[in-house]
Coordinates of all heavy atoms in Angstrom, one line a residue:
T329 N -3.8 1.0 -2.9 CA -3.3 1.0 -1.5 C -2.6 2.3 -1.2 O -2.8 2.9 -0.2 CB -2.2 -0.2 -1.4 OG1 -2.9 -1.4 -1.7 CG2 -1.7 -0.3 0.1
G330 N -1.7 2.7 -2.1 CA -1.0 4.0 -1.9 C -0.9 4.7 -3.3 O 0.2 4.6 -4.0
P331 N -1.9 5.4 -3.7 CA -1.9 6.1 -5.0 C -0.7 7.0 -5.2 O -0.4 7.8 -4.2 CB -3.3 6.8 -5.1 CG -4.1 6.1 -4.0 CD -3.1 5.7 -2.9
L332 N -0.1 7.0 -6.4 CA 0.9 7.9 -6.7 C 0.4 8.9 -7.7 O -0.3 8.6 -8.7 CB 2.1 7.1 -7.3 CG 2.8 6.1 -6.4 CD1 3.8 5.3 -7.2 CD2 3.5 6.9 -5.2
L333 N 1.0 10.1 -7.7 CA 0.8 11.2 -8.7 C 2.3 11.5 -9.1 O 3.0 11.9 -8.4 CB 0.1 12.4 -8.2 CG 0.1 13.6 -9.1 CD1 -0.8 13.3 -10.3 CD2 -0.4 14.8 -8.4
R334 N 2.5 11.3 -10.5 CA 3.9 11.5 -10.9 C 3.9 11.8 -12.4 O 2.9 11.5 -13.1 CB 4.7 10.2 -10.6 CG 4.3 9.0 -11.3 CD 4.8 7.8 -10.6 NE 6.3 7.8 -10.3 CZ 7.3 7.6 -11.1 NH1 7.0 7.2 -12.4 NH2 8.5 7.7 -10.8
L335 N 5.0 12.4 -12.9 CA 5.2 12.7 -14.3 C 5.6 11.4 -15.0 O 6.7 10.8 -14.7 CB 6.1 13.9 -14.4 CG 6.1 14.6 -15.7 CD1 4.8 15.2 -16.2 CD2 7.1 15.7 -15.7
Q336 N 4.8 11.0 -16.1 CA 5.2 9.8 -16.8 C 5.5 10.2 -18.3 O 4.8 10.9 -19.0 CB 4.0 8.9 -16.7 CG 4.2 7.5 -17.3 CD 3.2 6.5 -16.9 OE1 2.9 6.2 -15.8 NE2 2.4 6.2 -17.9
R337 N 6.6 9.6 -18.7 CA 7.1 9.9 -20.1 C 6.5 8.8 -21.0 O 6.3 7.7 -20.7 CB 8.6 9.7 -20.1 CG 9.2 10.3 -21.4 CD 10.7 9.9 -21.4 NE 11.4 10.5 -20.4 CZ 11.9 11.8 -20.6 NH1 11.8 12.4 -21.8 NH2 12.6 12.4 -19.6
E338 N 6.1 9.4 -22.3 CA 5.5 8.5 -23.3 C 6.5 7.3 -23.7 O 7.7 7.6 -23.8 CB 5.1 9.3 -24.6 CG 4.5 8.5 -25.7 CD 4.2 9.3 -26.8 OE1 4.9 10.2 -27.1 OE2 3.1 9.0 -27.5
G339 N 6.0 6.2 -23.8 CA 7.0 5.1 -24.1 C 7.5 4.4 -22.9 O 7.9 3.2 -22.8
E340 N 7.4 5.1 -21.7 CA 7.9 4.5 -20.5 C 6.9 3.5 -19.9 O 7.2 2.5 -19.3 CB 8.1 5.6 -19.5 CG 8.8 5.3 -18.2 CD 9.0 6.6 -17.4 OE1 8.1 7.0 -16.7 OE2 10.1 7.1 -17.4
G341 N 5.6 3.7 -20.3 CA 4.6 2.9 -19.8 C 4.3 3.1 -18.3 O 5.0 3.7 -17.6
A342 N 3.2 2.5 -17.9 CA 2.8 2.6 -16.4 C 3.8 1.9 -15.5 O 4.5 0.9 -16.1 CB 1.4 2.1 -16.2
L343 N 4.0 2.3 -14.3 CA 4.9 1.5 -13.4 C 4.4 0.1 -13.3 O 3.3 -0.2 -13.3 CB 4.8 2.2 -12.1 CG 5.5 3.6 -12.0 CD1 5.4 4.1 -10.5 CD2 7.0 3.6 -12.4
T344 N 5.4 -0.9 -13.3 CA 5.1 -2.2 -13.0 C 4.6 -2.3 -11.5 O 4.8 -1.4 -10.7 CB 6.3 -3.1 -13.2 OG1 7.3 -2.8 -12.3 CG2 6.8 -2.9 -14.6
K345 N 4.0 -3.4 -11.2 CA 3.5 -3.7 -9.8 C 4.7 -3.7 -8.9 O 4.7 -3.1 -7.8 CB 2.8 -5.0 -9.8 CG 1.9 -5.1 -8.4 CD 1.0 -6.2 -8.6 CE 0.0 -6.2 -7.4 NZ -1.0 -7.2 -7.5
A346 N 5.8 -4.2 -9.4 CA 7.0 -4.3 -8.5 C 7.5 -2.8 -8.2 O 8.0 -2.6 -7.1 CB 8.1 -5.1 -9.2
Q347 N 7.5 -2.0 -9.2 CA 7.9 -0.6 -9.0 C 7.0 0.2 -8.1 O 7.4 1.0 -7.3 CB 8.0 0.1 -10.4 CG 9.1 -0.3 -11.2 CD 9.2 0.3 -12.6 OE1 8.1 0.4 -13.3 NE2 10.4 0.5 -13.1
R348 N 5.6 -0.1 -8.3 CA 4.6 0.7 -7.5 C 4.7 0.3 -6.1 O 4.7 1.2 -5.1 CB 3.2 0.4 -7.9 CG 2.8 0.9 -9.3 CD 1.4 1.1 -9.5 NE 0.6 0.1 -9.0 CZ 0.2 -1.0 -9.6 NH1 0.7 -1.1 -10.9 NH2 -0.6 -2.0 -9.1
Y349 N 5.0 -1.0 -5.8 CA 5.1 -1.5 -4.4 C 6.5 -1.4 -3.9 O 6.8 -1.6 -2.7 CB 4.6 -2.9 -4.3 CG 3.1 -3.0 -4.3 CD1 2.4 -3.0 -5.5 CD2 2.3 -3.1 -3.1 CE1 1.0 -3.1 -5.5 CE2 1.0 -3.2 -3.1 CZ 0.3 -3.2 -4.4 OH -1.1 -3.3 -4.4
G350 N 7.5 -1.1 -4.7 CA 8.9 -1.0 -4.4 C 9.3 0.3 -3.8 O 8.4 1.2 -3.5
H351 N 10.6 0.6 -3.7 CA 11.1 1.8 -3.2 C 11.1 2.9 -4.2 O 11.4 2.6 -5.4 CB 12.4 1.6 -2.5 CG 12.4 0.5 -1.4 ND1 11.7 0.8 -0.2 CD2 12.8 -0.7 -1.5 CE1 11.8 -0.4 0.5 NE2 12.5 -1.2 -0.2
P352 N 11.0 4.2 -3.8 CA 11.2 5.3 -4.8 C 12.5 5.2 -5.5 O 12.6 5.6 -6.8 CB 11.0 6.5 -4.0 CG 10.2 6.1 -2.9 CD 10.6 4.7 -2.5
C353 N 13.6 4.7 -4.9 CA 14.8 4.6 -5.5 C 14.9 3.7 -6.6 O 15.9 3.6 -7.4 CB 15.9 4.4 -4.5 SG 15.6 3.0 -3.4
D354 N 13.8 2.8 -6.8 CA 13.8 1.8 -7.8 C 12.9 2.2 -9.0 O 12.6 1.4 -9.9 CB 13.4 0.4 -7.2 CG 14.3 -0.1 -6.2 OD1 15.5 0.1 -6.4 OD2 13.8 -0.8 -5.3
R355 N 12.4 3.4 -8.9 CA 11.4 3.9 -10.0 C 12.2 5.0 -10.8 O 12.9 5.8 -10.3 CB 10.2 4.6 -9.3 CG 9.4 3.6 -8.5 CD 8.0 4.1 -8.3 NE 7.9 4.9 -7.2 CZ 7.5 4.7 -5.9 NH1 7.2 3.4 -5.7 NH2 7.4 5.5 -5.0
P356 N 11.8 5.1 -12.2 CA 12.3 6.2 -13.0 C 11.5 7.4 -12.7 O 10.4 7.4 -12.4 CB 12.0 5.6 -14.4 CG 10.7 4.8 -14.2 CD 10.9 4.1 -12.9
F357 N 12.2 8.6 -12.9 CA 11.6 9.9 -12.7 C 11.9 10.8 -13.9 O 13.0 10.8 -14.4 CB 12.1 10.6 -11.4 CG 11.5 10.0 -10.1 CD1 12.2 8.9 -9.5 CD2 10.4 10.6 -9.5 CE1 11.7 8.4 -8.3 CE2 9.9 10.0 -8.4 CZ 10.6 9.0 -7.8
T358 N 10.8 11.6 -14.2 CA 11.0 12.5 -15.3 C 11.0 14.0 -14.8 O 10.1 14.3 -14.0 CB 9.9 12.4 -16.3 OG1 9.9 11.1 -16.9 CG2 9.9 13.4 -17.5
P359 N 11.9 14.8 -15.2 CA 12.0 16.2 -14.7 C 10.8 17.0 -15.1 O 10.3 16.8 -16.3 CB 13.3 16.7 -15.2 CG 14.2 15.6 -15.5 CD 13.2 14.5 -16.0
S360 N 10.3 17.9 -14.3 CA 9.2 18.8 -14.6 C 9.6 20.2 -14.9 O 10.8 20.5 -14.5 CB 8.2 18.8 -13.3 OG 7.2 19.8 -13.4
S361 N 8.8 20.9 -15.6 CA 9.1 22.4 -15.8 C 8.6 23.2 -14.6 O 8.8 24.4 -14.6 CB 8.5 22.8 -17.1 OG 7.1 22.8 -17.0
I362 N 7.9 22.7 -13.7 CA 7.3 23.4 -12.6 C 8.3 23.7 -11.5 O 8.8 22.7 -11.0 CB 6.0 22.7 -12.1 CG1 4.9 22.5 -13.3 CG2 5.3 23.6 -11.0 CD1 3.8 21.6 -12.9
P363 N 8.5 24.9 -11.0 CA 9.4 25.1 -9.8 C 8.8 24.4 -8.6 O 7.6 24.3 -8.4 CB 9.4 26.7 -9.7 CG 8.9 27.1 -11.1 CD 8.0 26.1 -11.6
E364 N 9.8 24.0 -7.8 CA 9.3 23.3 -6.5 C 8.4 24.1 -5.6 O 7.5 23.6 -5.0 CB 10.5 22.7 -5.8 CG 11.4 23.7 -5.1 CD 12.4 23.0 -4.3 OE1 13.3 22.3 -4.8 OE2 12.3 23.1 -3.1
T365 N 8.7 25.4 -5.5 CA 7.8 26.2 -4.7 C 6.4 26.3 -5.2 O 5.4 26.3 -4.4 CB 8.4 27.7 -4.5 OG1 8.6 28.2 -5.8 CG2 9.7 27.6 -3.7
T366 N 6.2 26.4 -6.5 CA 4.9 26.5 -7.1 C 4.3 25.1 -6.9 O 3.0 25.0 -6.6 CB 5.1 26.7 -8.6 OG1 5.7 28.0 -8.9 CG2 3.7 26.8 -9.3
L367 N 5.0 23.9 -7.2 CA 4.3 22.7 -7.0 C 3.8 22.5 -5.6 O 2.7 22.0 -5.3 CB 5.3 21.6 -7.4 CG 4.7 20.2 -7.4 CD1 3.8 19.9 -8.6 CD2 5.8 19.1 -7.2
A368 N 4.7 22.8 -4.6 CA 4.4 22.6 -3.2 C 3.2 23.5 -2.8 O 2.3 23.1 -2.1 CB 5.5 23.0 -2.3
A369 N 3.1 24.7 -3.4 CA 2.0 25.6 -3.1 C 0.6 25.0 -3.7 O -0.4 25.0 -3.0 CB 2.1 27.0 -3.7
I370 N 0.8 24.5 -4.8 CA -0.5 23.9 -5.4 C -1.0 22.6 -4.7 O -2.2 22.4 -4.5 CB -0.2 23.6 -7.0 CG1 0.0 24.9 -7.7 CG2 -1.3 22.8 -7.6 CD1 0.4 24.7 -9.2
V371 N -0.1 21.7 -4.4 CA -0.4 20.5 -3.6 C -1.0 20.9 -2.3 O -2.1 20.3 -1.9 CB 0.8 19.6 -3.5 CG1 0.5 18.4 -2.5 CG2 1.4 19.1 -4.7
T372 N -0.4 21.9 -1.6 CA -1.0 22.3 -0.3 C -2.4 22.9 -0.5 O -3.4 22.6 0.2 CB -0.1 23.3 0.3 OG1 1.3 22.8 0.5 CG2 -0.6 23.8 1.6
S373 N -2.6 23.7 -1.6 CA -3.9 24.3 -1.8 C -4.9 23.2 -2.2 O -6.1 23.3 -1.7 CB -3.8 25.3 -3.0 OG -5.0 25.8 -3.4
F374 N -4.5 22.3 -3.0 CA -5.4 21.2 -3.3 C -6.0 20.5 -2.0 O -7.1 20.2 -1.9 CB -4.6 20.1 -4.1 CG -5.2 18.8 -4.3 CD1 -6.3 18.6 -5.2 CD2 -4.9 17.7 -3.6 CE1 -6.9 17.3 -5.3 CE2 -5.4 16.4 -3.6 CZ -6.4 16.3 -4.6
L375 N -5.1 20.2 -1.0 CA -5.5 19.6 0.2 C -6.4 20.5 1.1 O -7.3 20.1 1.6 CB -4.3 19.0 0.9 CG -3.5 17.9 0.3 CD1 -2.2 17.7 1.0 CD2 -4.3 16.6 0.2
E376 N -5.9 21.8 1.1 CA -6.7 22.7 1.9 C -8.1 22.9 1.4 O -9.0 22.9 2.1 CB -5.9 24.0 1.9 CG -4.6 24.1 2.8 CD -4.0 25.4 2.7 OE1 -4.3 26.2 1.8 OE2 -3.3 25.7 3.7
Y377 N -8.2 23.0 0.1 CA -9.5 23.1 -0.5 C -10.4 21.9 -0.4 O -11.6 22.0 0.1 CB -9.3 23.5 -2.1 CG -10.6 23.9 -2.6 CD1 -11.2 25.1 -2.5 CD2 -11.3 23.0 -3.6 CE1 -12.4 25.4 -3.0 CE2 -12.5 23.3 -4.1 CZ -13.1 24.5 -3.9 OH -14.2 24.9 -4.6
G378 N -9.8 20.7 -0.6 CA -10.7 19.5 -0.6 C -11.0 19.1 0.8 O -12.0 18.4 1.0
L379 N -10.3 19.5 1.8 CA -10.5 19.0 3.1 C -11.1 20.1 4.0 O -11.3 19.8 5.3 CB -9.1 18.6 3.8 CG -8.5 17.4 3.2 CD1 -7.1 17.2 3.9 CD2 -9.3 16.1 3.3
Q380 N -11.7 21.1 3.4 CA -12.3 22.2 4.2 C -13.5 21.6 5.0 O -14.3 20.7 4.4 CB -12.9 23.2 3.3 CG -11.8 24.2 2.7 CD -12.5 25.2 1.8 OE1 -12.9 26.3 2.2 NE2 -12.5 25.0 0.5
G381 N -13.6 22.0 6.2 CA -14.7 21.5 7.1 C -14.6 20.1 7.6 O -15.5 19.6 8.2
L382 N -13.4 19.4 7.3 CA -13.2 18.1 7.7 C -12.1 18.0 8.8 O -11.3 18.9 8.8 CB -12.9 17.1 6.6 CG -13.9 17.0 5.4 CD1 -13.3 16.2 4.2 CD2 -15.2 16.4 6.0
R383 N -12.0 16.9 9.4 CA -11.0 16.7 10.4 C -10.5 15.3 10.4 O -11.4 14.4 10.0 CB -11.3 17.2 11.8 CG -12.3 16.4 12.5 CD -12.5 16.9 14.0 NE -13.5 16.0 14.7 CZ -14.8 16.5 15.0 NH1 -15.1 17.7 14.6 NH2 -15.6 15.7 15.6
P384 N -9.3 14.9 10.8 CA -9.0 13.5 10.8 C -9.7 12.7 11.8 O -10.2 13.2 12.8 CB -7.4 13.5 11.1 CG -7.2 14.9 11.9 CD -8.3 15.9 11.3
R385 N -9.7 11.4 11.7 CA -10.5 10.5 12.5 C -9.7 9.2 12.7 O -9.2 8.6 11.8 CB -11.9 10.2 11.8 CG -12.8 9.4 12.7 CD -14.2 9.4 12.0 NE -14.2 8.5 10.9 CZ -15.2 8.4 10.0 NH1 -16.3 9.2 10.2 NH2 -15.1 7.5 9.1
R386 N -9.8 8.7 13.9 CA -9.2 7.5 14.3 C -10.0 6.3 13.6 O -11.4 6.4 13.6 CB -9.2 7.2 15.8 CG -8.2 8.1 16.5 CD -8.2 7.8 18.0 NE -7.3 8.8 18.7 CZ -6.0 8.6 18.9 NH1 -5.4 7.5 18.4 NH2 -5.3 9.6 19.5
G387 N -9.3 5.3 13.1 CA -10.1 4.2 12.5 C -10.3 4.3 11.0 O -10.6 3.4 10.3
G388 N -9.9 5.6 10.4 CA -10.0 5.7 9.1 C -11.4 6.0 8.5 O -12.4 6.3 9.3
W389 N -11.6 5.8 7.2 CA -12.9 6.2 6.6 C -13.3 5.0 5.6 O -12.5 4.4 5.1 CB -12.7 7.4 5.7 CG -12.1 8.5 6.5 CD1 -10.9 8.7 6.9 CD2 -12.8 9.7 6.9 NE1 -10.7 9.9 7.6 CE2 -11.9 10.4 7.7 CE3 -14.2 10.1 6.9 CZ2 -12.3 11.7 8.3 CZ3 -14.5 11.3 7.5 CH2 -13.6 12.0 8.2
S390 N -14.6 4.8 5.6 CA -15.2 3.8 4.7 C -15.1 4.3 3.3 O -15.0 5.5 3.0 CB -16.6 3.4 5.0 OG -17.5 4.5 4.7
W391 N -15.1 3.4 2.3 CA -15.0 3.8 0.9 C -16.3 4.5 0.5 O -16.2 5.5 -0.3 CB -14.9 2.6 -0.1 CG -13.5 1.9 0.0 CD1 -13.2 0.7 0.5 CD2 -12.2 2.6 -0.2 NE1 -11.7 0.5 0.4 CE2 -11.2 1.7 0.0 CE3 -11.9 3.8 -0.8 CZ2 -9.8 2.0 -0.2 CZ3 -10.6 4.1 -0.9 CH2 -9.6 3.2 -0.6
A392 N -17.4 4.2 1.1 CA -18.7 5.0 0.7 C -18.5 6.4 1.3 O -18.9 7.3 0.5 CB -19.9 4.3 1.5
E393 N -17.9 6.6 2.5 CA -17.7 8.0 2.9 C -16.8 8.7 2.1 O -17.0 9.9 1.7 CB -17.1 7.9 4.4 CG -18.2 7.5 5.4 CD -17.6 7.3 6.7 OE1 -16.5 6.7 6.9 OE2 -18.2 7.8 7.7
L394 N -15.7 8.1 1.6 CA -14.7 8.7 0.8 C -15.3 9.1 -0.6 O -15.0 10.2 -1.1 CB -13.5 7.8 0.6 CG -12.6 7.6 1.8 CD1 -11.5 6.7 1.5 CD2 -12.1 8.9 2.4
Q395 N -16.1 8.2 -1.1 CA -16.7 8.5 -2.4 C -17.6 9.8 -2.2 O -17.7 10.7 -3.1 CB -17.6 7.3 -2.9 CG -16.8 6.1 -3.3 CD -16.2 6.2 -4.7 OE1 -16.4 7.2 -5.4 NE2 -15.6 5.2 -5.1
A396 N -18.4 9.8 -1.1 CA -19.3 10.9 -0.9 C -18.5 12.2 -0.7 O -18.9 13.3 -1.2 CB -20.1 10.6 0.3
I397 N -17.4 12.2 0.1 CA -16.6 13.4 0.3 C -16.0 13.9 -1.0 O -16.2 15.1 -1.3 CB -15.4 13.1 1.3 CG1 -16.1 12.9 2.7 CG2 -14.4 14.1 1.3 CD1 -15.1 12.3 3.7
N398 N -15.5 13.0 -1.8 CA -14.9 13.5 -3.1 C -15.9 14.0 -4.0 O -15.7 15.0 -4.8 CB -14.1 12.4 -3.7 CG -12.8 12.2 -3.1 OD1 -11.8 12.8 -3.5 ND2 -12.6 11.4 -2.1
A399 N -17.2 13.4 -4.0 CA -18.3 13.9 -4.9 C -18.7 15.2 -4.6 O -19.2 16.0 -5.4 CB -19.4 12.9 -4.9
Q400 N -18.6 15.7 -3.3 CA -19.1 17.0 -2.9 C -18.2 18.2 -3.2 O -18.6 19.2 -3.1 CB -19.4 16.9 -1.4 CG -20.6 16.0 -1.0 CD -20.8 16.0 0.5 OE1 -20.4 16.8 1.2 NE2 -21.5 15.0 1.0
V401 N -16.9 17.9 -3.5 CA -16.0 19.0 -3.7 C -16.1 19.5 -5.1 O -16.0 18.8 -6.1 CB -14.6 18.5 -3.5 CG1 -13.5 19.6 -3.6 CG2 -14.3 17.8 -2.1
P402 N -16.4 20.8 -5.2 CA -16.5 21.5 -6.5 C -15.2 21.8 -7.2 O -14.7 22.9 -7.1 CB -17.3 22.8 -6.2 CG -17.0 23.1 -4.9 CD -16.7 21.8 -4.1
W403 N -14.6 20.8 -7.6 CA -13.1 20.8 -8.0 C -12.9 21.8 -9.2 O -11.9 22.4 -9.4 CB -12.6 19.5 -8.4 CG -12.2 18.6 -7.2 CD1 -12.8 17.4 -6.9 CD2 -11.3 18.9 -6.2 NE1 -12.2 17.0 -5.7 CE2 -11.2 17.9 -5.3 CE3 -10.4 20.0 -6.1 CZ2 -10.4 17.8 -4.1 CZ3 -9.5 19.9 -5.0 CH2 -9.6 18.8 -4.1
Q404 N -14.0 22.0 -10.1 CA -13.8 22.8 -11.2 C -13.5 24.2 -10.8 O -12.7 25.0 -11.4 CB -15.0 22.8 -12.1 CG -14.9 23.5 -13.4 CD -13.7 23.0 -14.3 OE1 -13.7 21.8 -14.6 NE2 -12.7 23.8 -14.6
A405 N -14.1 24.7 -9.7 CA -13.8 26.1 -9.3 C -12.4 26.2 -8.8 O -11.7 27.2 -9.1 CB -14.8 26.4 -8.1

Side-chain angles (χ1 to χ4, degrees):
T329 306
L332 296 171
L333 172 67
R334 60 200 315 278
L335 196 56
Q336 186 169 296
R337 188 186 298 270
E338 184 179 35
E340 188 176 80
L343 293 178
T344 65
K345 197 167 187 177
Q347 289 173 322
R348 290 203 320 272
Y349 284 83
H351 302 290
C353 51
D354 296 328
R355 296 196 279 261
F357 283 86
T358 298
S360 167
S361 66
I362 303 173
E364 69 173 67
T365 54
T366 300
L367 185 81
I370 292 174
V371 172
T372 303
S373 172
F374 166 78
L375 294 170
E376 288 179 338
Y377 186 75
L379 296 175
Q380 287 180 83
L382 299 171
R383 66 170 182 257
R385 187 173 72 191
R386 291 182 186 272
W389 306 77
S390 71
W391 290 117
E393 288 174 317
L394 293 176
Q395 293 281 0
I397 288 170
N398 281 272
Q400 290 178 19
V401 182
W403 283 117
Q404 186 59 59

